[in-house]
Amino acid sequence: MANNKVIGFVGSYTKAESKGVYTFTLDKEKREITDINVAAELNNPTYLTVSKDNQFLYAVAKEGEKGGVTAFSLNEQTGELTLLNSQTSEGSPPCHVSVSSDNSNVVTANYHTTKVESYLTNEDGSLNPAVSVMEHEGNGPHDRQEKPHMHFSGFTPDEKYIIAIDLGSDNVITYAVDNGKLTKVHTFETKPGSGPRHIAFHPNGKYAYVMTELSSEVLVLHYNEQDGSFSEVQSIPTIPSDFTETNDGSAIHLSPDGKFVYAGNRGHNSIAIFSVDESTGKLSFVEWASTEGNWPRDFALDPTGKFVVAANQKSNSLVLFERDEATGKLSLLQKDVPAPEAVCVKFLNV
């Protein structure tokens, strides 16, 4: 693909019109999204991850009464996906999937079954049965916290640990990982009822930012590389103090240079923008950018950090922003790009 174009993928629900995983092209010269096509027909591939070397794509999926993860080989020139295999078990599909930088280990988090599962891969990218399955217990004070709801599982920057986030029990759990085997080593407890959802690490590896779904905050955490533990530095709201309607925090991402944090709001229908004090990790509010649609479930910065694509789940649309790298602010370029039941956005890596 030409240098002025980058391939992206959209994960979706398939409850209405969506067929599964979609691909699109971001034309950086024309500053527009084009060529939205079905890349793989799959049932409820709500979350995807692309391997660091762009050779594989892993998607959560539902197969009948089972749920699990599906592996594809990826043509990075065309975005074409070729099915490799799936690993499934009884119950609802996971809601999050990550892969290690060497492609050897895939981990999933399951909102409904309380499980985090770890899989080893074969050289061709296909998946072996789960080598480690961690079940969780607990609850919280919110009416959506009747049991654990695992919402994220991913690797720390040094990949010594896997972080699992439990919205239901207000926990950020650190697992040591050894050849796919998980061992719990630390639990950070967030404020009761906050409902942590996703985490993003600063490029310097010292700080991590947790988006809470229920309290609509970003938690700034200091990360201890020695033992995988966290300590809180700051919490800052992602919505205006006078916003009284329902808001569910969604995705959180950092700019490639680590100078800005972006946090999604479903309800307020915005992306909150924060600048980062790189000496302390603390955040300062910059502004909100409307996502020009309903229920921004996810968004992604392109590999250059110059563009942002957000997915509005309930209005079935993508929206494209240009990002000012000096101020962090987002300028609308394109809205109402059709994308049925869009949930997750990923780009190929550079």
Side-chain angles (χ1 to χ4, degrees):
M1 177 134 308
N3 287 339
N4 63 336
K5 294 181 179 180
V6 60
I7 293 173
F9 294 91
V10 179
S12 69
Y13 279 108
T14 54
K15 297 176 180 178
E17 296 178 14
S18 173
K19 302 291 186 190
V21 179
Y22 287 77
T23 185
F24 67 90
T25 300
L26 170 58
D27 188 321
K28 295 184 286 186
E29 195 174 296
K30 294 182 178 178
R31 297 151 78 219
E32 67 178 11
I33 294 170
T34 61
D35 302 327
I36 298 179
N37 295 297
V38 177
E41 293 198 10
L42 204 60
N43 198 351
N44 283 358
T46 54
Y47 207 86
L48 322 167
T49 192
V50 176
S51 66
K52 190 175 181 181
D53 62 6
N54 295 331
Q55 296 303 297
F56 307 107
L57 181 145
Y58 298 93
V60 305
K62 178 177 169 62
E63 292 184 4
E65 298 303 309
K66 295 183 176 183
V69 58
T70 300
F72 296 89
S73 63
L74 168 57
N75 182 325
E76 65 178 322
Q77 300 303 315
T78 64
E80 183 181 357
L81 299 178
T82 302
L83 176 66
L84 294 172
N85 74 333
S86 298
Q87 292 292 346
T88 60
S89 57
E90 291 296 327
S92 299
C95 65
H96 193 275
V97 60
S98 300
V99 61
S100 59
S101 59
D102 67 358
N103 305 336
S104 67
N105 192 188
V106 170
V107 291
T108 61
N110 198 307
Y111 185 90
H112 295 286
T113 68
T114 82
K115 294 176 182 176
V116 167
E117 301 193 50
S118 173
Y119 305 84
L120 294 178
T121 62
N122 299 304
E123 276 193 32
D124 67 352
S126 61
L127 294 154
N128 291 299
V131 68
S132 208
V133 179
M134 310 304 290
E135 295 197 48
H136 300 83
E137 296 179 348
N139 53 53
H142 192 279
D143 60 7
R144 288 181 52 202
Q145 293 182 308
E146 79 291 354
K147 69 173 188 177
H149 289 301
M150 309 311 296
H151 220 308
F152 175 99
S153 59
F155 296 84
T156 56
D158 57 18
E159 299 199 352
K160 288 196 302 184
Y161 302 104
I162 284 170
I163 306 302
I165 298 193
D166 180 4
L167 181 149
S169 303
D170 297 312
N171 287 330
V172 177
I173 303 159
T174 304
Y175 287 105
V177 58
D178 180 17
N179 198 30
K181 297 280 180 66
L182 305 183
T183 305
K184 186 187 288 190
V185 294
H186 191 268
T187 300
F188 173 79
E189 297 179 3
T190 67
K191 183 178 64 182
S194 57
R197 175 185 171 92
H198 277 198
I199 191 170
F201 281 85
H202 193 278
N204 66 18
K206 296 178 183 176
Y207 300 103
Y209 300 87
V210 171
M211 183 70 186
T212 68
E213 179 167 332
L214 302 180
S215 64
S216 301
E217 296 171 288
V218 176
L219 309 181
V220 182
L221 305 182
H222 180 267
Y223 171 60
N224 184 329
E225 293 176 320
Q226 307 314 121
D227 64 3
S229 64
F230 294 94
S231 55
E232 187 167 325
V233 175
Q234 179 193 20
S235 66
I236 189 168
T238 65
I239 53 174
S241 57
D242 60 357
F243 186 80
T244 56
E245 298 167 49
T246 297
N247 188 77
D248 288 354
S250 60
I252 186 162
H253 299 289
L254 276 81
S255 57
D257 61 11
K259 292 181 177 178
F260 297 95
V261 166
Y262 297 84
N265 290 305
R266 294 172 292 175
H268 190 249
N269 292 338
S270 66
I271 296 173
I273 305 163
F274 303 92
S275 62
V276 178
D277 181 327
E278 293 197 63
S279 62
T280 64
K282 288 185 176 181
L283 301 182
S284 300
F285 175 71
V286 176
E287 70 173 10
W288 289 283
S290 169
T291 61
E292 306 291 335
N294 191 9
W295 219 246
R297 182 73 172 256
D298 192 22
F299 61 92
L301 284 76
D302 84 303
T304 67
K306 293 178 180 175
F307 299 93
V308 172
V309 173
N312 290 306
Q313 180 187 339
K314 292 184 179 180
S315 51
N316 303 298
S317 65
L318 301 180
V319 58
L320 174 64
F321 300 95
E322 191 165 31
R323 194 179 77 88
D324 186 314
E325 293 172 271
T327 66
K329 293 181 179 180
L330 303 179
S331 302
L332 178 67
L333 293 177
Q334 190 183 12
K335 62 179 182 177
D336 300 326
V337 180
E341 303 171 83
V343 171
C344 169
V345 184
K346 295 291 181 190
F347 282 102
L348 290 185
N349 302 297
V350 293

